[in-house]
Amino acid sequence: MKILLIEDEPELLKSIGHYLSQNNFRCDQADNIRLAQAYLEINDYDCIVLDITFPLGSGFDVLKSFDSIGRHCGILIISAKDSLEDKLYGLELGADDYLTKPFHLPELAARLYAIQRRRFFGGNDILKLGELMVNIRDKYAKTQNGVIDLTRKEFDLLMYFISNKEKVVTKQSIVDHLWGEHASMTDNHDLIYVHIKNLRKKLVEKGCPDYISGVYGVGYRFSIDKSYQKI
């Protein structure tokens, strides 16, 4: 899951960012509103973890700007304020959840997963797509022939395809999703090709049809519709 963390307290920003990164999240970090809005202009995120109190500006300003920048992702507000008024206002602006500081980091992660399940997978932990079964919570995929031995990047790639099922995703969007703020370090798309090739091979070896098709000159599509030609 790709996260944008917006928090102005340096130690808390570092602590949350480290925890999420160690628990299979890809996490970009912003310690001010201007940087956060710059990230949102160029990246897509599955969810935003958003503090609402900043020396200059407010986290609510980020929520208000969503209509103009056209982003559609989950929002988890974190705040030291425990007022009902702030909670209701945040939810009215489009937030999915509100977590009051201090909180335990495992609870933060659990709420992020809950938002992901509600927004993208109908609240389900287990997805069934043709011959493929994916357990979101425990992070594994299997067929009737057993569990598929996927690396972390391969599982993340599979989840990105599933989240965009039936849509064409570009090579650059895959790079941005898998590497986040480090995407600029990837000079070409050869690494993406390798990850996709390995993922497709592992799916097929376990008896799963090749649901990933190349779209010439654009990117890839994940579909269980066999009418798409595989290349």
Side-chain angles (χ1 to χ4, degrees), residues 40-52:
L40 288 169
E41 291 288 347
I42 59 175
N43 295 314
D44 289 315
Y45 295 96
D46 297 310
C47 196
I48 295 174
V49 178
L50 173 65
D51 192 2
I52 57 173

Side-chain angles (χ1 to χ4, degrees), residues 16-215:
I16 295 176
H18 177 74
Y19 180 84
L20 293 180
S21 296
Q22 294 297 310
N23 285 273
N24 298 317
F25 294 87
R26 291 167 307 286
C27 188
D28 290 342
Q29 301 178 26
D31 60 2
N32 62 76
I33 297 298
R34 179 174 295 181
L35 179 58
Q37 290 174 329
Y39 269 125
L40 288 169
E41 291 288 347
I42 59 175
N43 295 314
D44 289 315
Y45 295 96
D46 297 310
C47 196
I48 295 174
V49 178
L50 173 65
D51 192 2
I52 57 173
T53 305
F54 288 84
L56 298 175
S58 166
F60 289 135
D61 295 334
V62 176
L63 288 175
K64 292 176 182 177
S65 69
F66 265 32
D67 288 340
S68 62
I69 62 178
R71 300 298 173 186
H72 304 284
C73 57
I75 303 291
L76 172 58
I77 291 176
I78 56 173
S79 176
K81 295 183 177 181
D82 193 23
S83 73
L84 178 61
E85 180 180 352
D86 280 336
K87 291 180 180 180
L88 292 178
Y89 187 49
L91 294 173
E92 288 172 0
L93 289 176
D96 295 274
D97 202 353
Y98 191 109
L99 185 59
T100 303
K101 299 176 184 178
F103 50 78
H104 295 290
L105 292 175
E107 181 181 4
L108 173 68
R111 294 198 184 213
L112 288 172
Y113 282 124
I115 290 173
Q116 183 189 43
R117 290 195 300 272
R118 289 196 302 269
R119 293 184 69 91
F120 298 106
F121 308 120
N124 298 311
D125 283 323
I126 297 177
L127 307 178
K128 184 71 169 63
L129 303 107
E131 300 299 318
L132 183 65
M133 189 280 284
V134 180
N135 188 309
I136 301 172
R137 181 188 60 194
D138 296 329
K139 298 180 179 56
Y140 69 85
K142 71 176 186 178
T143 68
Q144 61 181 359
N145 295 326
V147 174
I148 305 168
D149 184 21
L150 299 177
T151 66
R152 173 178 169 178
K153 274 289 188 289
E154 289 165 355
F155 183 82
D156 289 344
L157 176 60
L158 177 61
M159 289 303 302
Y160 185 63
F161 277 130
I162 293 173
S163 298
N164 292 278
K165 185 165 62 76
E166 310 296 343
K167 300 177 183 177
V168 176
V169 294
T170 66
K171 296 175 183 177
Q172 187 58 50
S173 71
I174 296 173
V175 170
D176 292 341
H177 187 82
L178 292 182
W179 280 276
E181 63 182 0
H182 302 295
S184 60
M185 298 171 62
T186 306
D187 296 329
N188 55 57
H189 295 138
D190 290 346
L191 194 57
I192 288 297
Y193 174 77
V194 171
H195 280 303
I196 292 175
K197 179 181 178 181
N198 289 341
L199 174 60
R200 295 171 76 171
K201 179 181 178 182
K202 290 180 179 181
L203 292 175
V204 171
E205 286 178 345
K206 282 294 185 179
C208 180
D210 185 5
Y211 295 137
I212 302 170
S213 59
V215 180

